[in-house]
Amino acid sequence: ERLVESGGGLVQPGGSLRLSCAASGYTYSSYCMGWFRQAPGKEREGVAAIDSDGSTSYADSVKGRFTISQDNAKNTLYLQMNSLKPEDTAMYYCAADVRLPFDWWLLPAGYNYWGQGTQVTVSS
């Protein structure tokens, strides 16, 4: 399993970014994929997750601002981030694993496959 994130960058508060995660070598028909972030000095936290049926889960801090989606034909996971705030600044990672219980979807410990991360900086 290989996951490669892209799309990070510097954006002003209130702006938008779309992150992408290209997946390869993953053959499970039933799975969960998620976006996580880690700011300096803080623990990695779950942002959003989606399963193979298209069900989603979001952290309260991003509900209404971020949208997770997937393009199965392209084996790509997306995170559309709108109304970005300085506190969204972090390294963003995508992760994947076989289908997890719903309570595990936003827990980093539930995932065995990780990308290398892409930096998102929200600053004026």
Side-chain angles (χ1 to χ4, degrees), residues 27-101:
T27 59
Y28 297 109
S29 60
S30 181
Y31 59 83
C32 283
M33 295 189 75
W35 286 100
F36 296 79
R37 66 187 181 187
Q38 188 166 18
K42 294 188 177 182
E43 293 186 355
R44 190 169 298 189
E45 62 175 357
V47 174
I50 189 167
D51 74 354
S52 45
D53 292 334
S55 297
T56 59
S57 179
Y58 295 92
D60 288 343
S61 59
V62 305
K63 280 181 182 177
R65 300 189 299 123
F66 290 11
T67 302
I68 189 171
S69 62
Q70 58 190 348
D71 185 330
N72 291 330
K74 296 182 178 180
N75 292 327
T76 302
L77 180 73
Y78 301 101
L79 184 69
Q80 178 66 44
M81 305 186 294
N82 299 328
S83 303
L84 282 161
K85 305 175 181 180
E87 51 263 43
D88 294 318
T89 295
M91 185 72 78
Y92 282 71
Y93 300 89
C94 73
D97 214 302
V98 297
R99 192 164 188 171
L100 300 168

